[in-house]
Amino acid sequence: MARPVLMWFRDDYRISDNPALHEAVKSGAPILCFVVLDQELPGLRQPGGAARWWLHGSLQSLGHSLEGLDSRLALFHGSTEEIVERIVIATDASAIFWNRRYQEAEIAIDSALKTRLTNRGVDVRSFNGKLLNEPWEIANKSGKPFQIYTPYFRAVMTRGGPQTPLPAPSKLKAGHWPDSLHGAEVTLASLHLEPLEPNWAKGFPAIWKRGEAGAQDSLAAFIDRALHGYAENRERPGIEGTSRLSPHLRFGEISPRQIWHTVTSASAALGGVTGDVEKFLSEVIWREFCYQQLFYNPDLATRSHDSRFAQFHWSTNAANLEAWQRGTTGYPIVDAGMRQLWQTGWMHNRVRMIVASFLVKHLLLDWRDGEAWFWDTLVDADPANNPFGWQWVAGCGLDAAPYYRIFNPVTQGEKFDETGDYVRAFVPEIGRLPNAFIHKPWEASPEILDKAGVRLGVTYPKPIVDHAAARERALHAFQEVRHAK
Ligand SMILES: Cc1cc2nc3c(=O)[nH]c(=O)nc-3n(C[C@H](O)[C@H](O)[C@H](O)COP(=O)(O)OP(=O)(O)OC[C@H]3O[C@@H](n4cnc5c(N)ncnc54)[C@H](O)[C@@H]3O)c2cc1C
């Protein structure tokens, strides 16, 4: 029997446009597919609760896809280095293929394994399955990574579109898993990735279809329903104006190359949506920019990029943090966002910016507290996009929002959720208020509140901070940082 090739899946849970899998198939050898869940790898950020829920579905779906190709997915749990070496030895594999990953601890372990396995005579090959461009491929004239998004975006566009996505294999040459490894394999159920009691994710399956087929459905639905008008509608949380592809991208159920090619071909067919397509691709490229930052700044989630922020006196008010987390701040757009997050595992981008600004600027709470809550509750919680987004809003990140930009939650609500549909969907207790007061219930007269069945401070909270006062306090605090050395 020919020696097998190992295909190691890691956050690239798809069979189409998967470069490592494609090369494994091309080798003509029998293929053994596996995943390792390592919960002890030092320095590696473990997925939060909502991401674990997603991961369960991703692995289940990939397993089914592989079974359809006469193969299967073997799951292992424990120390990555030990398990991968053990698999290589036990299977007598001639080669191991994987797609690259970008967190520092992951890079370190992959490099160490590459050296050790190569020294054993194993052919180790890694590919780009996650990004349009590798972080080191896009550089400024001095060969350094861009610090500003716009020139980065231009540099990506100048390179032209990515290569055509690779087809899904129609069959995998089945390999044989040796008996010696059977005892080491684990079942998906034994990993307890989904919550049991309390099952806070019980509403998620009605909203999300995890896995590669779900990713393709979301892309098709987006093109049908929302690509036309995306540039404008993407700012409106009350409508489905964006793709909701983020958790699928996070777990590699779809590749950015597939998105790029499908969207640009659809654009030709739809006609007249060039501006919408460009805007959409520019968002996909923001993700690339975030990954470049993560690659060059591995401590993105723990250290403010602007070192002056090391001296910032963050508040430690636990009651305010809890009100923000629970969606009981008394500011309807903030509360709607935080409840959308809890109920669906996702939040609209505009609202992510509003709630993040509220936490950091109105409450002066540390951006890392907000980032950690998002990390635990978002199904798309991403090691690059999430800390980057938080640092951007806090004003301490690369090419970040200026310190004096303090979103007014009332005017933001009135501008982007004009009819209050979004707030009504997630804050039903104030849903009967007229549009004029849906974003500022405290300005409604006692008669109007009464008629809408709202008792401020009883059925819905009064604002936990006064906007004008909080704004002044934030400006003062952020100005001090600006002058710090
Ligand atoms: C504080 C904060 C935290 C965030 N945390 C995450 C996170 O953990 N995971 C995550 O995927 N995104 C995060 N984002 C970025 C953005 O909010 C989401 O990617 C977007 O809302 C996902 O919805 P969508 O797929 O419908 O987006 P679409 O508008 O359809 O965009 C398509 C894709 O482009 C990428 N993208 C869009 N906007 C951004 C952006 N601002 N930055 C980076 N990539 C972007 C995403 O991969 C997205 O799926 C965060 C933004 C902020 C302000």
Side-chain angles (χ1 to χ4, degrees), residues 40 73 114 130 165 174 186 201 228 252 383 403 425 448:
E40 263 121 57
L73 182 65
K114 197 166 200 166
K130 196 180 193 80
V186 293
H228 186 73
Y403 77 96
I448 292 177

Side-chain angles (χ1 to χ4, degrees), residues 230 242-246 249 283 349 352 380 382 385-386:
Y230 172 81
T242 67
S243 70
R244 302 199 178 208
L245 280 164
S246 49
L249 271 165
E283 295 306 321
N349 179 61
R352 290 187 204 206
D380 65 24
D382 187 281
N385 293 5
N386 196 40

Side-chain angles (χ1 to χ4, degrees), residues 384-399:
N385 293 5
N386 196 40
F388 184 94
W390 276 95
Q391 293 220 32
W392 188 88
V393 175
C396 57
L398 215 65
D399 197 9

Side-chain angles (χ1 to χ4, degrees), residues 147 291-301 303 305 398:
Q147 306 290 303
Y291 267 88
Q292 186 179 67
Q293 300 322 315
L294 176 67
F295 181 73
Y296 287 110
N297 306 287
D299 49 5
L300 197 62
R303 193 179 58 83
H305 186 79
L398 215 65

